[in-house]
Amino acid sequence: MKTFLLSTALLLGVFSAHAAIQSKTIDYMQGDTPLEGVLVWDDAVTGPRPGVLVVHQWLGLTAYEKHRAEMLAQLGYVAFCADIYGKGVRPKDTSEAGALAGKYKGDRQLLRARVNAGLDELKKSELVDASRIAAIGYCFGGTTVIELARSGADIKGVVSFHGGLDSPTPADGKNIKTKVLALAGADDPFQKPEDLTAFESEMRDAKVDWRLIFYGGAVHSFTQPDPGFSNPGAKYNERADKRSWADMKQFFAEIFQ
Amino acid sequence: MKTFLLSTALLLGVFSAHAAIQSKTIDYMQGDTPLEGVLVWDDAVTGPRPGVLVVHQWLGLTAYEKHRAEMLAQLGYVAFCADIYGKGVRPKDTSEAGALAGKYKGDRQLLRARVNAGLDELKKSELVDASRIAAIGYCFGGTTVIELARSGADIKGVVSFHGGLDSPTPADGKNIKTKVLALAGADDPFQKPEDLTAFESEMRDAKVDWRLIFYGGAVHSFTQPDPGFSNPGAKYNERADKRSWADMKQFFAEIFQ
């Protein structure tokens, strides 16, 4: 049976195109805080290539982000799953997740420091062309990559998947050097209209190169098969998942050209 | 000089890839009203192919739409530039254009009849795979293709470029069978926030398969080098033009697969 499956896989070319997706756990620091991320790449690709930082949702760095990193590696990028919460800090339930996400959303300077530590780690990799870097993030991570932009990070672009777009310091929009793509569920009840309006004003006032896409019929967490809690306002949506991934790829094609 | 230009063109491959873009003026009728459209295709493509209806902006059918149709033909589609106003009815200035656009926006049933006449004409072409049809439109035409959707047209998709999205009869959203992609300038002063909100509600209530993209920094008419009038709120934006065209192509790849 195993042989049959392997033969079928080879026939289908499953292993042939991306035979060697590799991953490595990486310990790194932000100040005195130990962090633990994961670097993922395709060994069949040679030479430096664009790097993509992947920032986790409120449950911390899970198998979900590693899976996205593998998908990015299959596209030929080097992906680094950043750790915002700290090594071993992996919330066991949504109560802990909410407290942790709240802590970092309430301390944007710390959040920026943490995500920049991940960016530095990605840039260090010999596999990466450090002049071609982007960052993507989901939910809490979608907020975080916008904060990365607001911190003035000199990268090519950030993509926020159903991230909160609010800012306690909208004037920081003026620091943004990178292109911004925000992807939102048109029916996301966690996305407050006033936050959207404030985000648009922030981008406009700072003359940022930005885009915002609303996916009809999609609520919060539309890319996540398991959003971590049961709520009709947070649900996987295959159509919006596929489209948002395609929109991200098109964005990368533009910024990495 | 002519020979030199021709040689240069050949060297650049201008003629090689799409050697035979053809166009034909077509007379057709809606009720008792004669209309005059233009069919454009690439003669190098064989067999039936997807068809794209192109609906003009407020100045009527101009060289602008024909150019877009040529771009579509170069992508392998058959394009038909519809005529909404009537044969020979080509506004000579913005005053006439405003009156005509206002007339049809004020009579949505007539507008739907006119655009459906164009759709029927496109479907008639032997070059077209009538099971794979889309419609795109600019400004007034962007409104019109949404009305085409609201009329219940059984096509694969519509793309509205900086079109007004308002509806006097939002309940008609329930007639929509086709996918909707609305592309808007994030700084378009002609797009009223209440119209956007109403459009979103219409799409949501009718469970339409829809998407809305906002291009940062873009105002009205962002795809048109000559919007027909001088107004800081209506201006060409190369970045948004290129991105919206790429977004349309991605949409076509999805709906025509």
Side-chain angles (χ1 to χ4, degrees), chain B residues 128-192:
Chain B
V128 170
D129 172 358
S131 71
R132 292 191 293 163
I133 302 271
I136 73 170
Y138 296 88
C139 295
F140 168 77
T143 302
T144 304
V145 296
I146 303 286
E147 283 302 325
L148 178 64
R150 288 174 181 136
S151 77
D154 190 15
I155 57 176
K156 293 293 186 194
V158 301
V159 185
S160 172
F161 292 84
H162 44 81
L165 302 172
D166 62 296
S167 171
T169 53
D172 287 359
K174 70 177 183 310
N175 302 330
I176 297 179
K177 298 187 187 100
T178 186
K179 295 181 185 184
V180 173
L181 177 62
L183 309 175
D187 298 341
D188 185 343
F190 295 95
Q191 192 71 269
K192 293 184 200 149

Coordinates of all heavy atoms in Angstrom, one line a residue, chain B residues 128-192:
Chain B
V128 N -17.2 33.3 -30.0 CA -17.4 33.3 -28.6 C -17.9 32.0 -28.0 O -18.8 31.4 -28.6 CB -18.3 34.4 -28.2 CG1 -18.7 34.4 -26.7 CG2 -17.7 35.8 -28.5
D129 N -17.3 31.5 -26.9 CA -17.9 30.4 -26.1 C -18.9 31.1 -25.2 O -18.6 31.7 -24.2 CB -16.8 29.8 -25.3 CG -17.3 28.8 -24.3 OD1 -18.5 28.6 -24.2 OD2 -16.5 28.2 -23.6
A130 N -20.2 30.9 -25.6 CA -21.3 31.7 -24.9 C -21.5 31.2 -23.4 O -22.2 31.9 -22.7 CB -22.6 31.6 -25.6
S131 N -20.8 30.1 -23.1 CA -20.9 29.7 -21.7 C -19.9 30.4 -20.8 O -19.8 30.2 -19.6 CB -20.8 28.2 -21.5 OG -19.4 27.8 -21.8
R132 N -19.0 31.2 -21.4 CA -17.9 31.9 -20.7 C -17.9 33.3 -21.1 O -17.2 33.7 -22.0 CB -16.6 31.2 -20.9 CG -16.5 29.8 -20.2 CD -15.1 29.3 -20.2 NE -14.6 29.0 -21.6 CZ -13.3 28.8 -21.8 NH1 -12.4 28.9 -20.9 NH2 -13.0 28.5 -23.1
I133 N -18.7 34.1 -20.4 CA -18.9 35.5 -20.7 C -18.7 36.4 -19.4 O -19.1 36.0 -18.4 CB -20.3 35.8 -21.3 CG1 -20.6 35.0 -22.5 CG2 -20.5 37.3 -21.5 CD1 -20.2 35.6 -23.8
A134 N -18.0 37.5 -19.6 CA -17.9 38.5 -18.5 C -18.2 39.8 -19.1 O -18.3 40.0 -20.3 CB -16.5 38.4 -17.9
A135 N -18.4 40.8 -18.2 CA -18.7 42.2 -18.6 C -17.8 43.1 -17.7 O -17.7 42.9 -16.5 CB -20.1 42.6 -18.5
I136 N -17.2 44.1 -18.4 CA -16.4 45.1 -17.6 C -17.0 46.5 -18.0 O -17.5 46.6 -19.1 CB -14.9 45.0 -17.8 CG1 -14.5 45.5 -19.2 CG2 -14.4 43.6 -17.6 CD1 -13.0 45.7 -19.4
G137 N -16.8 47.4 -17.1 CA -17.2 48.8 -17.5 C -16.5 49.8 -16.6 O -16.1 49.5 -15.5
Y138 N -16.5 51.0 -17.2 CA -15.7 52.1 -16.6 C -16.7 53.2 -16.2 O -17.5 53.7 -17.1 CB -14.7 52.6 -17.6 CG -13.6 51.6 -17.9 CD1 -13.8 50.6 -18.9 CD2 -12.5 51.4 -17.1 CE1 -12.9 49.6 -19.2 CE2 -11.6 50.4 -17.3 CZ -11.8 49.5 -18.4 OH -10.8 48.6 -18.6
C139 N -16.6 53.7 -15.0 CA -17.4 54.9 -14.5 C -18.9 54.6 -14.8 O -19.4 53.6 -14.2 CB -17.0 56.2 -15.2 SG -15.3 56.7 -14.7
F140 N -19.5 55.3 -15.7 CA -20.9 55.0 -16.1 C -21.1 53.5 -16.5 O -22.1 52.9 -16.1 CB -21.3 55.9 -17.2 CG -22.6 55.6 -17.9 CD1 -23.9 55.9 -17.3 CD2 -22.6 54.9 -19.1 CE1 -25.0 55.5 -17.9 CE2 -23.8 54.6 -19.8 CZ -25.0 54.9 -19.1
G141 N -20.1 53.0 -17.2 CA -20.1 51.6 -17.6 C -19.9 50.7 -16.4 O -20.4 49.5 -16.4
G142 N -19.3 51.2 -15.4 CA -19.1 50.4 -14.2 C -20.4 50.3 -13.4 O -20.7 49.2 -12.8
T143 N -21.2 51.3 -13.5 CA -22.5 51.2 -12.9 C -23.4 50.3 -13.7 O -24.1 49.4 -13.2 CB -23.2 52.6 -13.0 OG1 -22.4 53.5 -12.2 CG2 -24.6 52.6 -12.4
T144 N -23.2 50.4 -15.1 CA -24.0 49.6 -16.0 C -23.8 48.1 -15.9 O -24.8 47.3 -15.9 CB -23.7 50.1 -17.4 OG1 -24.0 51.5 -17.5 CG2 -24.6 49.3 -18.4
V145 N -22.6 47.7 -15.7 CA -22.3 46.2 -15.5 C -22.9 45.7 -14.2 O -23.3 44.5 -14.2 CB -20.8 45.8 -15.7 CG1 -20.4 46.1 -17.1 CG2 -19.9 46.4 -14.7
I146 N -23.0 46.5 -13.2 CA -23.6 46.0 -12.0 C -25.2 45.9 -12.3 O -25.8 45.0 -11.8 CB -23.4 47.0 -10.8 CG1 -21.9 47.2 -10.5 CG2 -24.1 46.5 -9.5 CD1 -21.2 46.1 -9.9
E147 N -25.7 46.9 -13.0 CA -27.1 46.7 -13.4 C -27.4 45.5 -14.3 O -28.4 44.9 -14.2 CB -27.6 48.0 -14.2 CG -27.8 49.2 -13.3 CD -28.9 49.0 -12.2 OE1 -29.9 48.2 -12.5 OE2 -28.7 49.5 -11.1
L148 N -26.4 45.2 -15.1 CA -26.5 43.9 -15.9 C -26.6 42.7 -15.0 O -27.4 41.9 -15.2 CB -25.2 43.8 -16.8 CG -25.1 42.5 -17.7 CD1 -26.2 42.5 -18.7 CD2 -23.8 42.5 -18.3
A149 N -25.8 42.7 -13.9 CA -25.9 41.7 -12.9 C -27.2 41.7 -12.3 O -27.9 40.7 -12.1 CB -24.8 41.8 -11.9
R150 N -27.7 42.9 -11.9 CA -29.0 43.0 -11.2 C -30.2 42.6 -12.1 O -31.2 42.3 -11.6 CB -29.2 44.5 -10.7 CG -28.3 44.9 -9.6 CD -28.5 46.4 -9.3 NE -27.6 46.8 -8.2 CZ -26.9 47.9 -8.1 NH1 -26.9 48.7 -9.2 NH2 -26.2 48.2 -7.1
S151 N -29.9 42.6 -13.4 CA -31.0 42.2 -14.3 C -31.1 40.7 -14.4 O -32.0 40.2 -15.1 CB -30.7 42.8 -15.7 OG -29.7 42.0 -16.4
G152 N -30.2 40.0 -13.7 CA -30.2 38.5 -13.7 C -29.4 37.9 -14.8 O -29.6 36.7 -15.0
A153 N -28.5 38.6 -15.5 CA -27.8 38.1 -16.6 C -27.0 36.8 -16.1 O -26.3 36.8 -15.1 CB -26.8 39.1 -17.1
D154 N -27.1 35.8 -16.9 CA -26.5 34.5 -16.6 C -25.1 34.4 -17.2 O -24.9 33.7 -18.2 CB -27.4 33.3 -17.1 CG -26.9 32.0 -16.6 OD1 -26.1 32.0 -15.6 OD2 -27.4 31.0 -17.1
I155 N -24.2 35.2 -16.7 CA -22.8 35.2 -17.2 C -21.9 34.9 -16.0 O -22.3 34.7 -14.9 CB -22.5 36.6 -17.8 CG1 -22.7 37.7 -16.8 CG2 -23.3 36.8 -19.1 CD1 -22.2 39.1 -17.4
K156 N -20.6 34.8 -16.3 CA -19.6 34.3 -15.2 C -19.2 35.4 -14.3 O -19.0 35.1 -13.1 CB -18.4 33.8 -15.9 CG -18.6 32.5 -16.7 CD -19.0 31.3 -15.8 CE -19.1 30.0 -16.6 NZ -19.8 29.0 -15.8
G157 N -19.2 36.7 -14.7 CA -18.7 37.7 -13.8 C -18.8 39.1 -14.4 O -18.9 39.3 -15.6
V158 N -18.9 40.1 -13.5 CA -18.8 41.5 -14.0 C -17.7 42.2 -13.1 O -17.5 41.9 -12.0 CB -20.2 42.2 -13.8 CG1 -21.3 41.6 -14.6 CG2 -20.6 42.4 -12.3
V159 N -17.0 43.1 -13.8 CA -16.0 43.9 -13.2 C -16.3 45.4 -13.3 O -16.4 45.9 -14.5 CB -14.6 43.7 -13.7 CG1 -13.5 44.4 -13.0 CG2 -14.3 42.2 -13.8
S160 N -16.5 46.1 -12.2 CA -16.8 47.5 -12.3 C -15.6 48.3 -11.9 O -15.1 48.2 -10.8 CB -18.0 47.8 -11.3 OG -18.2 49.2 -11.2
F161 N -15.1 49.1 -12.9 CA -14.0 50.0 -12.6 C -14.5 51.4 -12.3 O -15.2 52.0 -13.1 CB -13.1 50.1 -13.9 CG -12.3 48.9 -14.2 CD1 -12.9 47.9 -15.0 CD2 -11.0 48.7 -13.9 CE1 -12.2 46.8 -15.4 CE2 -10.3 47.6 -14.2 CZ -10.9 46.6 -15.0
H162 N -14.2 51.8 -11.1 CA -14.7 53.1 -10.6 C -16.1 53.5 -11.0 O -16.4 54.6 -11.4 CB -13.7 54.3 -10.9 CG -13.1 54.3 -12.3 ND1 -13.7 54.8 -13.3 CD2 -11.9 53.9 -12.8 CE1 -13.0 54.7 -14.4 NE2 -11.9 54.1 -14.1
G163 N -17.0 52.5 -10.9 CA -18.4 52.8 -11.2 C -19.2 53.2 -10.0 O -18.9 52.8 -8.9
G164 N -20.2 54.0 -10.2 CA -21.1 54.3 -9.1 C -21.9 53.0 -8.7 O -22.3 52.3 -9.6
L165 N -22.0 52.7 -7.4 CA -22.5 51.4 -7.0 C -23.9 51.5 -6.4 O -24.5 50.5 -6.0 CB -21.5 50.7 -6.0 CG -20.1 50.5 -6.6 CD1 -19.2 50.0 -5.5 CD2 -20.1 49.5 -7.7
D166 N -24.5 52.6 -6.5 CA -25.8 52.9 -5.9 C -26.9 52.2 -6.7 O -26.7 51.9 -7.9 CB -26.1 54.4 -5.9 CG -26.1 54.9 -7.3 OD1 -25.0 54.9 -7.9 OD2 -27.2 55.4 -7.7
S167 N -28.0 51.9 -6.0 CA -29.1 51.3 -6.7 C -30.4 51.9 -6.2 O -30.6 52.0 -5.0 CB -29.2 49.8 -6.4 OG -30.4 49.3 -6.9
P168 N -31.4 52.3 -7.1 CA -32.7 52.8 -6.6 C -33.5 51.6 -6.1 O -34.5 51.8 -5.4 CB -33.3 53.4 -7.8 CG -32.5 52.9 -9.0 CD -31.2 52.4 -8.5
T169 N -33.2 50.4 -6.5 CA -33.9 49.2 -6.1 C -33.0 48.1 -5.6 O -32.8 47.1 -6.2 CB -34.7 48.7 -7.3 OG1 -33.8 48.4 -8.4 CG2 -35.8 49.6 -7.8
P170 N -32.5 48.3 -4.3 CA -31.5 47.4 -3.8 C -32.0 45.9 -3.7 O -31.2 45.0 -3.7 CB -31.1 47.9 -2.4 CG -32.0 49.1 -2.2 CD -32.7 49.5 -3.5
A171 N -33.4 45.8 -3.6 CA -33.9 44.4 -3.5 C -33.6 43.6 -4.8 O -33.6 42.4 -4.8 CB -35.4 44.4 -3.3
D172 N -33.2 44.3 -5.9 CA -32.9 43.6 -7.1 C -31.6 42.8 -7.0 O -31.3 42.0 -7.9 CB -32.8 44.6 -8.3 CG -34.2 45.1 -8.8 OD1 -35.2 44.6 -8.2 OD2 -34.2 45.9 -9.7
G173 N -30.8 43.1 -6.0 CA -29.6 42.3 -5.7 C -29.9 40.8 -5.7 O -29.1 40.0 -6.1
K174 N -31.1 40.4 -5.3 CA -31.5 39.0 -5.3 C -31.5 38.3 -6.6 O -31.4 37.1 -6.7 CB -32.8 38.8 -4.6 CG -34.0 39.3 -5.4 CD -35.4 39.0 -4.7 CE -36.5 39.5 -5.5 NZ -36.4 40.9 -6.1
N175 N -31.6 39.1 -7.7 CA -31.6 38.6 -9.1 C -30.2 38.2 -9.5 O -30.0 37.5 -10.6 CB -32.1 39.6 -10.1 CG -33.5 40.1 -9.8 OD1 -34.3 39.3 -9.2 ND2 -33.8 41.3 -10.1
I176 N -29.1 38.6 -8.8 CA -27.8 38.5 -9.2 C -27.3 37.0 -9.2 O -27.4 36.4 -8.2 CB -26.8 39.4 -8.4 CG1 -27.2 40.8 -8.6 CG2 -25.3 39.1 -8.8 CD1 -26.3 41.8 -7.9
K177 N -26.9 36.5 -10.4 CA -26.4 35.1 -10.5 C -24.9 35.1 -10.7 O -24.3 34.1 -10.6 CB -27.1 34.5 -11.7 CG -28.6 34.3 -11.7 CD -29.0 33.5 -12.9 CE -30.5 33.5 -13.1 NZ -31.0 34.4 -14.1
T178 N -24.4 36.2 -11.1 CA -23.0 36.3 -11.5 C -22.1 36.8 -10.4 O -22.5 37.4 -9.5 CB -22.9 37.2 -12.8 OG1 -21.6 37.1 -13.3 CG2 -23.2 38.6 -12.5
K179 N -20.8 36.5 -10.6 CA -19.8 37.0 -9.6 C -19.5 38.5 -9.8 O -19.5 38.9 -11.0 CB -18.5 36.2 -9.7 CG -18.7 34.7 -9.3 CD -17.4 33.9 -9.3 CE -17.8 32.5 -9.0 NZ -16.6 31.6 -8.9
V180 N -19.3 39.2 -8.8 CA -19.1 40.7 -8.9 C -17.8 41.1 -8.3 O -17.5 40.7 -7.2 CB -20.3 41.4 -8.1 CG1 -20.0 42.9 -8.1 CG2 -21.6 41.1 -8.8
L181 N -17.0 41.8 -9.1 CA -15.8 42.4 -8.6 C -15.9 43.9 -8.8 O -16.0 44.4 -9.9 CB -14.6 41.9 -9.4 CG -13.2 42.5 -9.0 CD1 -12.8 42.2 -7.6 CD2 -12.1 41.9 -10.0
A182 N -15.9 44.7 -7.7 CA -16.0 46.1 -7.8 C -14.6 46.7 -7.4 O -14.0 46.4 -6.3 CB -17.1 46.6 -6.8
L183 N -14.1 47.6 -8.3 CA -12.8 48.2 -8.1 C -12.9 49.7 -7.9 O -13.5 50.4 -8.8 CB -11.9 47.9 -9.3 CG -11.9 46.4 -9.7 CD1 -11.1 46.2 -11.0 CD2 -11.3 45.5 -8.6
A184 N -12.5 50.2 -6.8 CA -12.8 51.6 -6.4 C -11.5 52.3 -6.0 O -10.6 51.8 -5.3 CB -13.8 51.6 -5.3
G185 N -11.5 53.6 -6.3 CA -10.4 54.5 -5.8 C -10.7 54.8 -4.3 O -11.8 55.2 -4.0
A186 N -9.7 54.6 -3.4 CA -10.0 54.8 -2.0 C -10.3 56.3 -1.7 O -10.8 56.6 -0.7 CB -8.8 54.3 -1.2
D187 N -9.9 57.2 -2.6 CA -10.1 58.6 -2.4 C -11.0 59.2 -3.5 O -11.0 60.4 -3.8 CB -8.7 59.3 -2.5 CG -7.7 58.9 -1.5 OD1 -8.2 58.3 -0.5 OD2 -6.5 59.1 -1.7
D188 N -11.9 58.4 -4.0 CA -12.9 58.8 -5.0 C -14.0 59.7 -4.4 O -14.8 59.2 -3.7 CB -13.5 57.6 -5.7 CG -14.4 58.0 -6.9 OD1 -14.8 59.1 -7.0 OD2 -14.7 57.1 -7.7
P189 N -14.0 61.0 -4.7 CA -15.0 61.8 -4.0 C -16.4 61.7 -4.6 O -17.3 62.1 -4.1 CB -14.4 63.3 -4.3 CG -13.6 63.1 -5.5 CD -13.1 61.7 -5.5
F190 N -16.4 61.0 -5.8 CA -17.7 60.8 -6.4 C -18.4 59.5 -5.9 O -19.6 59.2 -6.2 CB -17.6 60.7 -8.0 CG -17.1 62.0 -8.6 CD1 -15.7 62.2 -8.8 CD2 -18.0 63.0 -8.9 CE1 -15.3 63.4 -9.4 CE2 -17.5 64.2 -9.4 CZ -16.2 64.4 -9.7
Q191 N -17.7 58.8 -5.1 CA -18.2 57.5 -4.5 C -18.7 57.9 -3.1 O -17.9 58.0 -2.2 CB -17.1 56.5 -4.5 CG -17.6 55.1 -4.1 CD -18.3 54.4 -5.3 OE1 -19.5 54.5 -5.3 NE2 -17.6 53.8 -6.2
K192 N -20.0 58.1 -3.0 CA -20.5 58.5 -1.7 C -20.4 57.3 -0.7 O -20.8 56.2 -1.0 CB -22.0 58.9 -1.8 CG -22.1 60.2 -2.6 CD -23.6 60.6 -2.6 CE -23.9 61.6 -3.7 NZ -25.3 61.5 -4.2

